[in-house]
Amino acid sequence: MTQHYRITLLPGDGIGPEIMAVTITVLKEVGQQLGIGFDFTEALIGGAAIDATGNPLPPETLDTCKASDAVLLAAIGGYKWDALPNDQRPERGLLGLRAGLNLFANLRPAQILPQLIDASTLKREVVEGVDIMVVRELTGGIYFGQPRGIFETKTGERRGINTMVYAEAEIERIGRVAFEAARKRRKRLCSVDKANVLDVSQLWRERMTALAADYPDVELTHLYVDNAAMQLLRAPTQFDTIVTGNLFGDILSDAAAMLTGSIGMLPSASLGASGPGVFEPVHGSAPDIAGQDLANPLAQVLSAAMMLRYGLNEPAAGDRLEAAVQTVLNQGYRTGDIASEGTTRVGCQAMGNALLKALEEPR
Ligand code: IPM
Ligand code: MG
C-alpha cells in the first residue's frame, strides 16, 4: 500500500446504510487496484444517533470525524423524528458537523449526463450541456445567525426569529473558493444575492466585486436570487460557477440538481480551510423507499469520487469511480428514479454489483 487513509463513515438514516454499503465495496475495490488502503470507522449521526444516544451528533462522532482524513456521509432524517423540536432534530446533527469541522465551502456540481437527458423534466434542448458548479457558503448566513429562536412577547404572542448575517471575512473566504473553482472551469462566476432588498446582500455584492480584482481572468456577474432561479430553469447553460450564501445555495442547488433529471445522481463536497472534508450526496434519506433495495447509490459513489479527488488528493482513483458510473449507465442499468424506456431497471445492490464488474473490466 502506498497510502493509507482513515475514513469516517456516517451512514445515517433511511436509504443511507444501503447506499453506503454499496459505496464501501466499490471503494475497497478501487483501493485494491491502486494500492490505496482505507481504514473505515463507522459513527452515528442524525436519527440513528438520536435513537441510540438522544443526541443527533454525539461528541464521539465529531471526535472521530476530526481524527480522520475524510468523512463520507450518506443522509439523515425521516418521518420518525419530524415532530421533534428544532434543536433535537436529525438536521441539527448535520449542521453541527458542518460547524464543528468549520466546513464553510460546499461544492455542488450539477452536470447533465447524456445518458440521462430524458430523465430531466425539462426539454432536451434546454438542459443539453448543463454543467454548473454551485459554491454554497455553509457555516454562516441565516442558518447560524444570532439572534434566533421563538420568543414570547409582552402580549403573549410568540415571534420566530432568524438572522441573516455575513461578516466581510466570511464573504471573502467563500468568494475566493468560488473564484478558484471558476478558474479551473470555464472562468465565469455568477454571484447570487438579494442586494435590492437585503443589507447583508449589499455587503456580499460589494465584497465579491472587490475580490474580482484579484482574479482578472474570471468574469464576475451578479444576479438577484429570484432572477437566478428563473434563469436556471429558462436557460441553465448560461451558468458556469455560481457562488451564493447558505439559504440561497440550499434552494438553488436543489433546482440545479433537478435540471439533471435526478437528484439521486449528485454528489457534494464540504470543505474547510484545513482538516477533513465531508462528502455526501445532495439528496436526502428518502424514508419512503428505505430498506427496499430501491435506492440509487450513484450519488454516494460519486461523493466518494469527490472525496478521493478533493479530500485525499487521489484523482486517479476518483476517475476510476466516475468511469465506472459512466459504464453502468452506458450498459443501460437504472434504478427507479432514473429509469426510462429501454433501460434495465435494477435495485441498489444490483447497481453495486454492476459497478464492481465495471471496475474489474480491463481498461
Ligand atoms: C442540504 C439539506 C440540509 C440543508 C438540511 C438537511 C439541514 O437540505 O444539505 O441541502 O438545509 O443544508
Ligand atoms: Mg438542501
Side-chain angles (χ1 to χ4, degrees), residues 98 108 136 143 249-251 253-254 282:
R98 290 170 179 173
R108 296 192 163 182
R136 169 188 177 194
Y143 272 55
D250 178 45
I251 300 166
S253 62
D254 267 26
V282 169

Side-chain angles (χ1 to χ4, degrees), residues 149-167:
I150 300 175
F151 304 101
E152 202 159 315
T153 63
K154 284 188 199 113
T155 64
E157 188 194 20
R158 292 181 309 151
R159 294 179 72 212
I161 302 174
N162 289 91
T163 303
M164 193 185 279
V165 53
Y166 274 114

Side-chain angles (χ1 to χ4, degrees), residues 79-291:
Y79 314 127
K80 186 175 169 193
W81 307 280
D82 272 352
L84 289 172
N86 244 342
D87 57 338
Q88 294 165 30
R89 291 173 60 97
E91 287 79 357
R92 275 283 128 204
L94 183 55
L95 297 173
L97 182 69
R98 290 170 179 173
L101 296 176
N102 211 358
L103 306 173
F104 66 88
N106 185 211
L107 308 186
R108 296 192 163 182
Q111 194 178 10
I112 190 126
L113 301 171
Q115 302 95 327
L116 296 184
I117 225 162
D118 294 319
S120 177
T121 49
L122 280 92
K123 290 191 192 120
R124 168 181 282 268
E125 57 267 32
V126 173
V127 291
E128 201 147 46
V130 161
D131 180 3
I132 301 171
M133 175 70 84
V134 179
V135 179
R136 169 188 177 194
E137 198 291 326
L138 203 59
T139 51
I142 198 164
Y143 272 55
F144 292 92
Q146 295 289 346
R148 67 178 300 156
I150 300 175
F151 304 101
E152 202 159 315
T153 63
K154 284 188 199 113
T155 64
E157 188 194 20
R158 292 181 309 151
R159 294 179 72 212
I161 302 174
N162 289 91
T163 303
M164 193 185 279
V165 53
Y166 274 114
E168 289 181 304
E170 286 178 292
I171 301 169
E172 288 185 22
R173 66 178 183 178
I174 191 69
R176 290 201 185 275
V177 170
F179 273 103
E180 298 287 346
R183 203 168 239 182
K184 290 189 194 131
R185 295 171 46 90
R186 300 191 301 281
K187 299 187 173 32
R188 284 189 293 120
L189 179 63
C190 178
S191 171
V192 174
D193 61 39
K194 189 69 186 172
N196 52 344
V197 177
L198 302 177
D199 303 286
V200 55
S201 282
Q202 274 172 25
L203 185 64
W204 178 281
R205 190 174 281 222
E206 185 199 299
R207 294 324 302 158
M208 286 295 168
T209 306
L211 268 187
D214 289 351
Y215 304 87
D217 51 325
V218 177
E219 180 205 348
L220 175 70
T221 56
H222 305 272
L223 280 183
Y224 300 136
V225 62
D226 49 348
N227 189 16
M230 186 175 80
Q231 297 300 333
L232 263 178
L233 300 179
R234 192 185 70 80
T237 52
Q238 70 186 285
F239 292 102
D240 171 21
T241 308
I242 292 176
V243 62
T244 190
N246 208 340
L247 179 63
F248 300 157
D250 178 45
I251 300 166
L252 293 181
S253 62
D254 267 26
M258 233 16 238
L259 298 172
T260 69
S262 172
I263 199 164
M265 292 298 301
L266 297 179
S268 76
S270 302
L271 308 168
S274 60
V278 172
F279 302 85
E280 59 175 309
V282 169
H283 64 69
S285 60
D288 52 323
I289 58 163

